Amino acid sequence: MKSTTEKRHISAVGPVEFTDIRLKAPQDYAAGLPAVKIALGHAMKEMGLAKSIATLAKMNQKGGFDCPGCAWPDPDHRSNLGEFCENGVKAIAEEATNKRVNIDFFKKYSVEEMSHWTDFEIGKSGRITDPMILREGSTHYEPISWEESFKIIAQELKLLDHPDQGIFYTSGRSSNEAAFLYGLFIRAFGTNNMPDCSNMCHESSGAALFQTLGIGKGSVTLDDFGDADVVMVIGQNPGTNHPRMLSALEKCKDNGGKVVTINPLREAALVRFKNPQEPKGIIGGGTAITDHYLQVRINQDVPLLKLIIKKLAKIEEAKGGVFDHDFINTHTSGYDDFIKDIHQYKEEELLAMTGIDEHQIDEVVQLLAEKKRIIICWAMGLTQHKNGVDNIRECVNLLLLKGSIGIKGGGTCPVRGHSNVQGDRTVGITHHVSKRLNDGFKKAFNFDPPTKEGLDVVKCIKAMYEGDAKVFIALGGNFLSAASDTNYTAQALMNCNLTVSISTKLNRTHLIPGKTSLILPTLGRSEADKNRFVTVENSMGRVHQSQGRLQPSSNNLMSEPEIVANIGKAYFGEDHHIPWQQLGEDYDLTRQKISEVFTGFDNYTERAKKAGFDLPNHARKGDFSKLPGGTAKFSINALPSHDLKEDEYLLMTIRSHDQYNTTIYGLDDRYRGIYNERRIVMMNYEEAIEKGFKTYDVVNLISNYNGVERKAENFMIIPYDIPRGNLAAYFPEANVLIPNDQYADVSFTPISKSVKVEVRR
């Protein structure tokens, strides 16, 4: 389909020029004083001295505000030196920046001009100060009143042929209160089209954990890391994506525990951590984090885990004492079929798939044979594959064999990304239909929620592209840069009659508009909200308050709950039986309604004001009595199959160190030694030589699925310590290669970590 906005000659991907690359040797440690210096430099540049001090003093502190970056939990006892990390400081500096995207800014720059900026340049423009509209056929955003904005949204929604032509996206930065009201409005409107950022990242985790353990969340707490004998870190890079996790790993090591890392890249943070709040992290050598580093080939985690389990089974059969048969017999089902399946594989074939030296694997096997308190942590390195659900289920199999779930110091730990992505799902942001959830909404608000399954991210993009969905509303996020198949997604957005972004800062999605586009500016996490507080849920299921303290960046901002409530009021009218205005203004009332719909939120406001509270988690208690058959489930998982041609590689998209999700703080990937450039592709040292590639050679990356060729232009070859046959490149620059029709079975998560590509000069 064609869109009238194509006349604007806008760019979905930005420029493809280079920015004067510099290379250094990769670092062999993370954090330390350099991280402190760089973090404070970012804060000072964006906020100035006084504002930086005031902001960081309240960040992640009791009575303060929650970091808008990752969802890693805060300890019960907060550090007086500061409870934040380098990338958390960068995140808050971006939010609390003194730069402004105001009415004069939008007068100066057209949508077409801004679309040709890099994502870095767009993001660095500053905070949006006023509601803005891009009218059909116009070249520039113009100011619009809040009242007229809500009126336009209501009118466009009423013009739809049916509610399922509306798409309502949620990012993980919204609060529980905002997400709940958003889900309430969407259901009252009449659809379950609630795609959210989980669809693109941890949906595979939720699906796998629900199938095997009956709950789509992890089972460990932060304290469990200090009690663990072994922590396995699989498919994640804590030093960049959630640096405060390194303190938990350090605590594990200090208490005698061991860390096993399974990852295609050798990441500095998993080699050594210099804690800047400890003397040994300042004047000493810090803490060696990983005891056993298994540099597995991309998406060969199932073969590796099967090989480890097979070797453990041999020791069990020979000596006994390896598997916890009391736990297996009492709390699980499917063990016999699982073991029978494991025996069909040949060790040498599994070993060949992993690309790892067998001696290294045997050392890990011996360690696991002797230990029980085992935590397995993972992130998108496991979830974003065709077999992403199988990857996590195989991790669960290992833990079930060892009886390591529901015990102190053991369990599952999916490390979530954005700060409240788990909370959004908890309070009802889901495209799946649940009778229990619908009954809860009906009881609390006296209406019948829709019973038709909604659209996830993959399906909603397809619906917009094909003209089956005509209004797109986003509660936060940078949808275009986060999604796969950038050009396809861009055309999908442009096919809409109306696109709406509830945002703090300018991003690329604003520049790839529907026929009409609205930007509604909202308060940041750090900004005062009329003395009110919101709540969030961390990666381990604890709900706690967050209260901004800074002066809002504009007098014309509105909080997310208020924006959502005003949309509801404009659509349904002031006399609707749901009191939209009151819910948007009175967060205590909203929390009361949350407690009426969901279990575990009793006395919500008062408990949130104190230390917070943990939501019910039967897996944490080792209680599987409510699952079918009353047991946790072993699963049988197939080996991955990629069928690479002779000239094809498997590419994974990754973040740089100066990046969180789609927000780019700078152009340096300091730990990996890559500076001032993002259009790079990492290739195995020896393989680069064999293929005749030199450092800085310029190539195009080509993916071809079902006859559709996709191209990422102008990437520099960087020989790197990565397994043969594998490549790595940064997103969102490489997202153009990810096909819209290739995703994980069951979860529909795009295959962002295992894309088949050719490298062409």
Side-chain angles (χ1 to χ4, degrees), residues 225 228-234 245-246 248-254 256-262 269-271 287-294 364 367 375:
F225 281 79
D229 294 323
V230 180
V231 176
M232 300 181 72
V233 181
I234 310 181
M245 178 179 172
L246 297 175
L249 295 177
E250 181 182 48
K251 187 174 182 180
C252 170
K253 296 300 297 289
D254 288 345
K258 302 293 184 181
V259 175
V260 176
T261 294
I262 300 173
L270 290 166
V271 176
T287 300
I289 294 295
T290 299
D291 298 279
H292 304 278
Y293 209 120
L294 304 183
V364 172
L367 174 66
I375 295 173

Side-chain angles (χ1 to χ4, degrees), residues 285-342:
T287 300
I289 294 295
T290 299
D291 298 279
H292 304 278
Y293 209 120
L294 304 183
Q295 210 165 338
V296 68
R297 287 178 179 147
I298 291 175
N299 198 28
Q300 298 303 325
D301 305 277
V302 167
L304 174 57
L305 290 167
K306 284 186 182 297
L307 180 56
I308 289 172
I309 291 170
K310 190 173 179 68
K311 287 175 174 285
L312 286 171
K314 286 174 62 177
I315 300 174
E316 169 67 22
E317 291 165 3
K319 301 178 180 179
V322 174
F323 295 163
D324 187 338
H325 288 284
D326 287 341
F327 177 89
I328 292 169
N329 294 333
T330 304
H331 296 292
T332 76
S333 58
Y335 171 78
D336 291 338
D337 289 339
F338 171 74
I339 290 297
K340 181 180 178 181
D341 179 72
I342 283 291

Side-chain angles (χ1 to χ4, degrees), residues 132-133 144 149 152-153 498-501 516-520:
M132 305 298 295
I133 185 170
I144 185 174
S149 297
I152 288 173
I153 294 170
L498 175 69
T499 52
V500 181
S501 293
T516 299
S517 178
L518 285 167
I519 303 175
L520 306 182

Side-chain angles (χ1 to χ4, degrees), residues 9 52 78 93 132 137 156 167 173 213 239 300 324 329 331 355 392 414 428 478 502 515 626 628 680 698 712 719 748:
H9 304 292
S52 294
R78 314 292 165 88
M132 305 298 295
E156 289 292 340
I167 303 293
R173 70 165 294 280
L213 302 177
Q300 298 303 325
D324 187 338
N329 294 333
H331 296 292
I392 285 87
N478 181 2
I502 301 169
K515 296 179 178 67
K626 293 184 180 180
I680 61 96
V698 179
F748 286 84

